[in-house]
Amino acid sequence: MSTLAQEATVAAVSIVASAAAHRYLYLRLVKDVTASARLRRAGGATAVALTVLVPAGVLAAQYANPTRIAWLAWPAFVWVALAAYLLMTLVVLEIPARLTARALRRRTGSGPVIPAQAPRAPVVQQGHSVAAPVMGAPNPRPAQDAPRMVDRRLVLARSVALLATGTAVATTGYGFHRGLGAPDVKVVPVALRRLHPSLDGIRITMASDLHLGPFFGRAHTARMVRMINDTSPDIIAIVGDLSDGTAGDLAAHAAPLTRLSSTHGTFFVTGNHDYRHDVDAWIATLADFRVTTLRNTRTLIKHQGGAIDLAGVTDITGEQNHDTPDYDRALGDRDASHPVVLLAHQPVQVHEAARHEVDLQLSGHTHGGAFFPGNLLVPLTQPLTAGLATIDHTQLYVSRGVGASLPPIRVGAPPDITVIELRRQY
């Protein structure tokens, strides 16, 4: 299947999924809570408009100039985040709501039965008309209970809708605040074998996943640069997914990178998002900003009498763009007395790194799961969601990144800049 056909299929599936999701939201948030024909028509029209807004915003964010589609991206992705939490909350509440509704029905129909007086046919007795009982007359009690049952169902539906809406609005608001806010700064000591005593305490400050685009611009980059410089780094590593647009559109947003300051320079490796546009143009632009791209290569960092190899490989996505990661080229024929630190965007690349006896791999890509249920999905494709672990005798550190992909929210996975302090292993 061609790339165009794949994209068309994904777009079609996305539209169908969007329509199904908005249909469900309409039923629970509009139809179930009001009998007003006017409000139901307004809610239906809104659902249709939002069904169109979501794929339009996604397509614009992928293919249009990010600096020109913010007016569409903001409402589209704010609603994507809000709708996601509405759906999750409503689905969680679906079972208890149904159980409560069933209990209400049973309670209404299980009370003591008090026979009603049946209508009587007139009987003449001593000159007076007296009503006589008519056999088989219906008991009027259910008709009296029906309005109360309807009222209870309406109260239940409105309570569920209000609870879901309040939860979704609060969670989405917090997510945007955290996702667009300043990242945390973490200091993580990592012990390496063969580390020269003079290198004990050398600092590699890493940042990943800037995702420059409609939500993260020049101010975001400038803040990150200030925070990195404040860590007094010896080496700076930018581990992929620099942007969600072309260098021609977003070079100005990346320009503050020229102010990065460290002892041995700034180094970059490509991420999967970097291949959505002209990766060569971005690499050339970064060179103008004094950022060195490690494209299946390495450099020897000499520091106070000691040395480490700093290597970098391209992202796995490069295989589809004639830029396949080449571990033999990046890691072969090196001095085995030096420890090697590998920059690779995706944590899953650690398996190849381990085969090449890499001491430490630094990665990003996962965003730490970004928000629920992302933290549950990441382990399906990656060996580590965030933090430090040892895999096949190679240490792997995964940063949550400083930006976010769309929508740009963070819940339970705050953005971070990490200072890796290399320590001598005794």
Side-chain angles (χ1 to χ4, degrees), residues 214-269:
F215 298 102
F216 298 98
R218 186 183 181 93
H220 168 70
T221 308
R223 178 177 62 191
M224 184 202 72
V225 167
R226 289 193 300 270
M227 296 179 72
I228 289 176
N229 288 344
D230 287 344
T231 67
S232 301
D234 294 300
I235 301 167
I236 298 172
I238 302 175
V239 195
D241 278 3
L242 177 69
S243 78
D244 289 318
T246 67
D249 293 335
L250 298 175
H253 290 345
L257 295 175
T258 57
R259 298 197 292 270
L260 285 170
S261 176
S262 65
T263 307
H264 299 288
T266 302
F267 300 89
F268 170 75
V269 291

Side-chain angles (χ1 to χ4, degrees), residues 69-328:
I69 53 92
W71 63 272
L72 178 60
W74 270 102
F77 286 100
V78 167
W79 173 245
V80 165
L82 185 60
Y85 279 106
L86 279 170
L87 286 168
M88 285 188 281
T89 308
L90 287 169
V91 168
V92 169
L93 294 175
E94 191 77 33
I95 293 178
R98 288 179 179 271
L99 293 176
T100 302
R102 180 178 297 180
L104 288 175
R105 287 195 299 270
R106 289 177 176 176
R107 182 178 178 183
T108 302
S110 61
V113 177
I114 303 175
Q117 293 295 324
R120 295 174 178 267
V123 177
V124 177
Q125 185 176 5
Q126 296 180 353
H128 297 283
S129 179
V130 179
V134 178
M135 300 305 295
N139 190 332
R141 178 62 59 85
Q144 294 172 359
D145 286 343
R148 286 189 297 172
M149 184 60 198
V150 172
D151 289 344
R152 289 172 180 172
R153 289 179 180 176
L154 186 60
V155 169
L156 177 62
R158 288 176 176 175
S159 299
V160 169
L162 286 173
L163 178 58
T165 301
T167 301
V169 169
T171 305
T172 302
Y174 169 79
F176 272 96
H177 170 75
R178 201 66 181 94
L180 298 172
D184 297 337
V185 177
K186 303 169 63 177
V187 179
V188 178
V190 179
L192 297 185
R193 58 190 176 91
R194 301 177 297 178
L195 189 70
H196 192 276
S198 66
L199 293 175
D200 189 67
I202 189 172
R203 297 160 71 88
I204 304 175
T205 300
M206 65 174 294
S208 70
D209 301 275
L210 278 72
H211 287 286
L212 299 178
F215 298 102
F216 298 98
R218 186 183 181 93
H220 168 70
T221 308
R223 178 177 62 191
M224 184 202 72
V225 167
R226 289 193 300 270
M227 296 179 72
I228 289 176
N229 288 344
D230 287 344
T231 67
S232 301
D234 294 300
I235 301 167
I236 298 172
I238 302 175
V239 195
D241 278 3
L242 177 69
S243 78
D244 289 318
T246 67
D249 293 335
L250 298 175
H253 290 345
L257 295 175
T258 57
R259 298 197 292 270
L260 285 170
S261 176
S262 65
T263 307
H264 299 288
T266 302
F267 300 89
F268 170 75
V269 291
T270 56
N272 55 303
H273 280 243
D274 299 312
Y275 288 98
R276 294 184 178 181
H277 305 279
D278 189 347
V279 68
D280 293 321
W282 264 118
I283 290 174
T285 299
L286 289 174
D288 292 338
F289 296 157
R290 297 184 299 171
V291 176
T292 301
T293 299
L294 296 176
R295 200 172 190 178
N296 298 324
T297 188
R298 69 177 182 272
T299 184
L300 186 65
I301 304 293
K302 297 180 179 179
H303 185 82
Q304 298 179 357
I308 63 171
D309 279 315
L310 182 68
V313 291
T314 57
D315 184 68
I316 297 170
T317 310
E319 296 175 358
Q320 305 168 18
N321 296 270
H322 309 290
D323 200 19
T324 302
D326 189 336
Y327 300 89
D328 290 332

